[in-house]
C-alpha cells in the first residue's frame, strides 16, 4: 500500500514561475490519447500512464530542472494496474502544496460509442486481461474511474465528437490562459466539408490562385516554403492579406472587453490544404506582431 504523500524538504515554487499542471484521465477509448497528442502540439510537456503515487515526485523533478516547463500534462488512468485511482485527490493536493495549480480533466463517452470504437479499431481494452468481456470491462472501468469524474474540474463527453472536433475542443480549452481573454484561434478548413460551426469570422480564400493546379505544389501544404513563395508572389494574395489584416486590426481589439475565452478566425478554401493553411499561418503571425500574446493555429483538414 502506498504511503500518504508528504512534502518534507520540498521548496515551493514561486507562483510566477510555477507551471500549470493538467491531469488527463477518463475512459479508455474516450479520446485521451488524441487529447495528449494535441496538448503536446500546444507545447505542453506530456507524460502518459504515470502511476499516481509518483505524481508529486515527478513534479519535484521538473522543479529542479534548469528550464522549467510552464505547461505540463500527465495522463493517469486504469492502465497502471497497481495504482489506486481513488487516492488521486491526495496526490493532487500534494502537488498543490508545492505551489502549483493542478487541474483535472476527464474524458467520457457513452458505452455504445466506446463499444463501436473498440470494434472499429480491434484494440483490446486495458481491463480485458482479467477475463472480462468488453461490455463488462467498460462497466468496470467506469466504476473504478467514477471518483476521478466527480473530482474533475472539466468533463468532456466525446460521444458526438470525431478526431478533428476533439482536437479543436482541446485547443479551445487549453491553448490559452483564460486570465487574458480573449485569445485568438486561427483555423483553416475546406468548404466541401462545411464551415466551422463556432467560427467568429470566416474568410473565403477560393478567389485566390490555387497551388493545387501546380503539379509540383499539389502534394505540399500551405506550411511548406514552395507553396508560401508561390502565394506570396501573387498580387491578389498580397492585397487579400493586407485588407484582411487591416480588418482584423480594426475589429479584433474591440473584443478585448468581451467575456469570452477565445475568438476564432477561420479561412476556407476548396480542399483546406494550400490557400487556407497559408493564410491561417500568415494572419496568426501578423496577430502576434500586433501584441496578441496568445495565438494558436488549427488546420482542420491536416491536424
Amino acid at each position: 500500500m502506498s504511503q500518504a504523500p508528504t512534502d518534507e524538504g520540498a521548496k515551493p515554487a514561486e507562483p510566477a514561475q510555477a507551471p500549470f499542471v493538467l491531469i488527463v484521465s477518463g475512459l479508455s477509448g474516450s479520446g485521451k490519447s488524441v487529447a495528449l497528442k494535441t496538448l503536446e502540439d500546444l507545447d505542453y510537456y506530456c507524460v502518459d500512464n504515470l502511476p499516481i503515487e509518483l505524481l508529486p515526485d515527478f513534479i519535484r523533478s521538473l522543479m529542479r530542472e534548469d528550464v522549467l516547463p510552464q505547461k505540463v500534462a500527465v495522463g493517469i488512468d486504469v492502465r497502471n494496474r497497481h495504482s489506486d485511482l481513488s487516492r488521486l485527490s491526495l496526490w493532487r493536493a500534494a502537488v498543490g502544496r508545492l505551489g502549483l495549480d493542478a487541474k483535472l480533466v476527464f474524458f467520457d463517452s457513452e458505452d455504445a460509442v466506446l463499444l463501436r470504437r473498440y470494434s472499429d479499431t480491434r484494440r483490446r481494452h486495458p481491463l480485458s486481461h482479467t477475463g472480462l468481456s468488453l461490455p463488462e470491462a467498460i462497466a468496470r472501468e467506469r466504476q473504478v474511474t467514477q471518483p476521478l469524474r466527480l473530482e474533475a474540474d472539466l468533463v468532456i463527453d466525446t460521444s458526438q465528437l470525431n478526431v478533428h472536433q476533439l482536437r479543436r475542443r482541446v485547443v479551445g480549452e487549453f491553448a490559452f490562459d483564460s486570465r487574458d481573454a480573449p485569445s485568438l484561434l486561427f483555423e483553416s478548413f475546406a468548404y466541401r466539408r462545411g464551415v466551422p460551426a463556432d467560427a467568429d469570422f470566416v474568410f473565403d480564400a477560393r478567389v485566390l490562385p490555387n497551388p493545387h493546379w501546380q503539379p509540383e505544389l499539389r502534394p505540399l501544404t500551405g506550411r511548406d516554403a514552395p507553396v508560401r513563395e508561390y502565394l506570396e508572389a501573387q498580387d491578389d494574395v498580397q492585397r487579400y492579406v493586407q485588407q484582411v489584416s487591416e480588418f482584423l486590426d480594426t475589429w479584433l481589439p474591440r473584443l478585448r472587453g468581451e467575456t469570452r475565452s477565445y475568438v476564432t478566425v477561420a479561412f476556407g478554401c476548396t480542399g483546406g490544404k494550400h490557400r487556407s493553411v497559408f493564410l491561417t499561418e500568415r494572419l496568426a503571425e501578423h496577430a502576434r506582431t500586433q501584441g496578441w500574446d496568445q495565438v494558436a493555429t488549427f488546420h482542420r483538414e491536416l491536424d
Side-chain angles (χ1 to χ4, degrees), residues 9-276:
K11 181 179 179 180
E14 293 295 330
Q17 299 178 349
F20 169 74
V21 180
L22 184 65
I23 302 171
V24 179
S25 191
L27 299 178
S28 303
S30 63
K32 299 189 308 298
S33 297
V34 173
L36 280 169
K37 179 62 173 66
T38 304
L39 291 168
E40 187 175 33
D41 291 342
L42 294 173
D43 293 327
Y44 278 72
Y45 183 92
C46 295
V47 174
D48 194 15
N49 198 21
L50 183 75
I52 61 171
E53 61 271 16
L54 298 182
L55 180 59
D57 288 338
F58 169 67
I59 298 301
R60 289 191 192 96
S61 69
L62 292 182
M63 295 171 68
R64 289 193 292 267
E65 296 291 335
D66 293 335
V67 180
L68 182 66
Q70 290 303 299
K71 296 183 296 184
V72 179
V74 179
I76 292 177
D77 53 49
V78 296
R79 286 173 296 170
N80 195 290
R81 304 171 188 175
H82 305 293
S83 293
D84 183 357
L85 297 182
S86 67
R87 294 173 60 84
L88 177 60
S89 60
L90 298 177
W91 305 106
R92 183 183 176 191
V95 172
R97 289 193 295 273
L98 293 173
L100 287 81
D101 183 19
K103 300 294 185 183
L104 170 61
V105 58
F106 188 93
F107 289 87
D108 200 352
S109 192
E110 298 172 0
D111 286 0
V113 175
L114 295 175
L115 287 168
R116 185 176 69 246
R117 290 173 181 171
Y118 270 101
S119 176
D120 291 343
T121 62
R122 300 183 183 274
R123 295 180 59 192
R124 296 186 63 187
H125 191 279
L127 297 182
S128 62
H129 70 282
T130 61
L132 299 175
S133 66
L134 180 56
E136 292 171 336
I138 292 174
R140 175 57 179 161
E141 183 181 26
R142 193 176 294 280
Q143 178 185 13
V144 171
T145 59
Q146 182 65 7
L148 277 65
R149 193 185 195 282
L150 294 175
E151 185 184 345
D153 299 286
L154 175 66
V155 176
I156 296 180
D157 190 325
T158 68
S159 301
Q160 304 301 320
L161 302 180
N162 60 33
V163 172
H164 301 294
Q165 292 168 330
L166 175 56
R167 282 180 57 85
R168 193 178 190 285
R169 177 69 187 276
V170 172
V171 169
E173 292 287 351
F174 303 113
F176 310 120
D177 184 344
S178 61
R179 295 171 297 180
D180 296 324
S183 298
L184 304 182
L185 173 62
F186 288 83
E187 177 175 358
S188 66
F189 68 94
Y191 269 99
R192 65 188 180 192
R193 296 189 61 242
V195 177
D198 54 354
D200 297 290
F201 298 97
V202 178
F203 296 94
D204 190 341
R206 290 175 294 183
V207 297
L208 300 177
N210 191 352
H212 174 82
W213 302 116
Q214 306 297 318
E216 70 277 11
L217 301 180
R218 185 173 299 176
L220 305 178
T221 76
R223 289 168 165 165
D224 295 312
V227 174
R228 295 198 308 268
E229 292 168 1
Y230 170 82
L231 290 171
E232 288 171 350
Q234 308 296 321
D235 291 339
D236 282 349
V237 174
Q238 291 292 344
R239 185 159 57 250
Y240 188 102
V241 169
Q242 179 183 350
Q243 292 177 351
V244 172
S245 298
E246 291 173 351
F247 176 87
L248 295 177
D249 291 346
T250 300
W251 296 107
L252 285 181
R254 307 287 183 95
L255 300 176
R256 289 187 184 273
E258 297 285 337
T259 56
R260 61 175 76 188
S261 60
Y262 65 95
V263 175
T264 299
V265 180
F267 294 91
C269 63
T270 305
K273 182 179 178 181
H274 295 111
R275 293 165 292 182
S276 61

